Amino acid sequence: MPLTPSGGREALHRRAIECQGWRRGDGLFDIEAHLIDAKTYAFPNADRGQIEPGEPVHDMWIRLTVDSGLVVRGAEAAIDSGPFGLCPEITPAYGALVGEKIGPGWSRTVRRIVGGTKGCRHLVELLATVATVAYQTVVPLRERLSADPGAKPAHLDSCHALASDSPVVKRHYPKFYTGR
């Protein structure tokens, strides 16, 4: 465990998120995410009755189909379990993301289109992770197939380790190294 040891504690809540990026036969990419929230204790729920330990409080899916430019060409959401019976009613709203581009301002765009009462908070949060997985799925492939292999990789300067003046860039991308 990379974190420092913690004192005695009791597990109460678990959130599991699984994401995967796929290349489709038609040249598009499917980016899928699945979120499950569960408690370690039973509790009553007005819409579902008793929710047992380990039973999903939230069990949600989202898929964005994107092109190589990270423009959303399809969007689908599903809610298998939610705390309220009407939770699944909002899933068609995510179709409004079609035509939007994953890139700078993506979170703001998502909030404008499906934020607040226009969507589900958990699916909105999940879309930030979906954007990262879309980028990690599409961009490396696009760079490998690029007509200009000498172009600066888009992921440089995207984090501390990949700063243009870092030893990582000096070692892996010496042509783009800006340090001393």
Side-chain angles (χ1 to χ4, degrees), residues 1-179:
M1 175 186 251
L3 300 175
T4 59
S6 181
R9 58 189 185 175
E10 173 189 10
L12 299 175
H13 179 82
R14 176 182 166 96
R15 170 168 283 184
I17 297 174
E18 183 175 0
C19 302
Q20 194 158 0
W22 307 83
R23 180 168 46 175
R24 297 171 20 153
D26 61 3
L28 298 175
F29 301 86
D30 282 340
I31 313 301
E32 297 180 358
H34 183 206
L35 176 147
I36 297 177
D37 280 333
K39 303 292 185 193
T40 60
Y41 53 87
F43 63 95
N45 178 280
D47 288 19
R48 292 174 43 191
Q50 183 85 351
I51 296 179
E52 296 298 328
E55 181 181 347
V57 177
H58 298 106
D59 187 348
M60 305 174 165
W61 302 79
I62 194 152
R63 176 190 303 134
L64 295 184
T65 300
V66 300
D67 63 21
S68 63
L70 296 175
V71 174
V72 178
R73 300 299 179 193
E76 178 182 356
I79 298 177
D80 293 333
S81 295
F84 309 107
L86 61 86
C87 288
E89 294 175 11
I90 200 62
T91 58
Y94 290 83
L97 294 169
V98 171
E100 300 297 335
K101 181 180 173 71
I102 296 173
W106 171 250
S107 293
R108 188 172 36 258
T109 298
V110 167
R111 286 190 307 273
R112 177 177 50 81
I113 295 171
V114 289
T117 59
K118 297 178 279 190
C120 165
R121 174 184 206 119
H122 302 294
L123 288 174
V124 166
E125 291 173 2
L126 195 55
L127 282 165
T129 302
V130 167
T132 301
V133 174
Y135 187 89
Q136 292 176 341
T137 299
V138 175
V139 173
L141 179 65
R142 190 174 67 201
E143 287 179 354
R144 278 199 333 253
L145 301 175
S146 171
D148 183 6
K152 180 179 176 181
H155 61 278
L156 294 188
D157 291 317
S158 65
C159 72
H160 169 73
L162 292 171
S164 294
D165 60 352
S166 80
V168 172
V169 171
K170 183 178 183 180
R171 184 172 57 245
H172 294 283
Y173 305 96
K175 177 178 176 180
F176 302 104
Y177 178 68
T178 62

